[in-house]
Amino acid sequence: MATASHRFSNLLALALIAGAAGCSSGELLLPEPPGGGENVALSKFDGDNQLGTVGELLPEPLIVSVRTARDLPAKEREVEFVTMAGDVEIARDTAITDSQGNATIRCMLGTVPGPYVIRASLIDLVGEPQVQEFLAKARPGAPDTLSATSPVAQPGRRATPAATPPSVRVVDRFGNAVPDALVAWQVTAGQGEVSEALTRTAHDGSATVEWTLGNRIGYHKLTAAVEQPTVAPVTFTVTVLF
């Protein structure tokens, strides 16, 4: 007659055999290759559709995520970022995915306003490339130069408008027109007046006013200036002889 301890040993052996059979049924998952191998997916994580300024970094970094077939982070995968403005390549950079499977860069925009595309791609894959595109838009920089687009000196008559209205143009440090820049107009000699003391530049960076001369003979002067103290103002002069 079998003892209680012998019966317990038999039951334990049967349980171990059943467990081994369950493990051999295909449910046991093999470890993934380092970095997920070829079966990975690239996706955008953050930084899409940003507005920035020409010649400057975008406000936020661009981040992509690389995940394995089991949706785990793919670590130490190399991602290339190429910045394009139209058909022109602006910059090329690479980043390595971290422990979370994310690759991050800071993107520098070019010197021309308008749309930009930053393409991210896994560069160590065989076959069809994995690519994602980030969109960005660059606006002009701050006013850097104020210049006259009408004569700065002309003759005139008392108490009448200047024959050619004074006009200026505002550009940034790359020569791009700066729209919506505030221009201040001030009569500094001749006691005349302008139609508006403050104007904003149009899309092409231009601004103008009507200048009515004072009722006196001599030199009449008008200055145009922008808010930036480093930008030199422009002075217009009208000489009234009678």
Side-chain angles (χ1 to χ4, degrees):
M1 183 174 182
T3 65
S5 61
H6 183 67
R7 287 198 301 272
F8 178 79
S9 298
N10 289 338
L11 290 173
L12 179 61
L14 290 173
L16 291 173
I17 292 171
C23 291
S24 63
S25 66
E27 296 178 1
L28 181 63
L29 297 177
L30 296 175
E32 291 183 318
E38 295 296 316
N39 194 13
V40 294
L42 175 72
S43 62
K44 288 183 286 188
F45 186 81
D46 199 10
D48 199 12
N49 291 308
Q50 293 190 60
L51 174 63
T53 302
V54 290
E56 296 182 8
L57 292 170
L58 282 173
E60 301 295 332
L62 306 185
I63 306 175
V64 294
S65 176
V66 184
R67 312 290 291 185
T68 70
R70 298 176 196 168
D71 198 30
L72 297 174
K75 299 180 289 185
E76 298 183 359
R77 299 301 293 259
E78 190 172 14
V79 181
E80 182 180 60
F81 295 83
V82 180
T83 303
M84 305 289 293
D87 295 330
V88 179
E89 182 178 321
I90 303 300
R92 186 179 292 262
D93 198 1
T94 59
I96 305 297
T97 56
D98 58 18
S99 60
Q100 302 301 312
N102 295 335
T104 304
I105 66 159
R106 296 302 304 270
C107 178
M108 179 77 75
L109 294 173
T111 61
V112 178
Y116 284 75
V117 175
I118 303 95
R119 296 191 180 101
S121 58
L122 279 167
I123 63 176
D124 56 351
L125 285 180
V126 176
E128 193 71 21
Q130 293 255 358
V131 178
Q132 292 290 334
E133 290 189 346
F134 292 84
L135 303 180
K137 185 176 181 180
R139 61 192 166 202
D144 181 78
T145 304
L146 176 68
S147 59
T149 55
S150 64
V152 294
Q154 58 180 310
R157 299 183 64 177
R158 292 184 296 175
T160 61
T164 303
S167 61
V168 294
R169 185 169 185 261
V170 181
V171 298
D172 66 12
R173 62 192 176 109
F174 301 112
N176 301 307
V178 180
D180 207 36
L182 194 62
V183 179
W185 305 87
Q186 183 179 9
V187 175
T188 56
Q191 300 178 344
E193 60 182 21
V194 290
S195 56
E196 296 177 85
L198 296 172
T199 60
R200 290 196 176 272
T201 55
H203 181 74
D204 61 355
S206 66
T208 186
V209 290
E210 292 291 330
W211 178 19
T212 300
L213 306 175
N215 190 19
R216 57 177 293 182
I217 294 173
Y219 292 108
H220 295 243
K221 294 182 181 295
L222 173 69
T223 61
V226 294
E227 295 176 292
Q228 282 71 11
T230 56
V231 179
V234 173
T235 298
F236 298 90
T237 302
V238 172
T239 303
V240 175
L241 300 179
F242 55 89

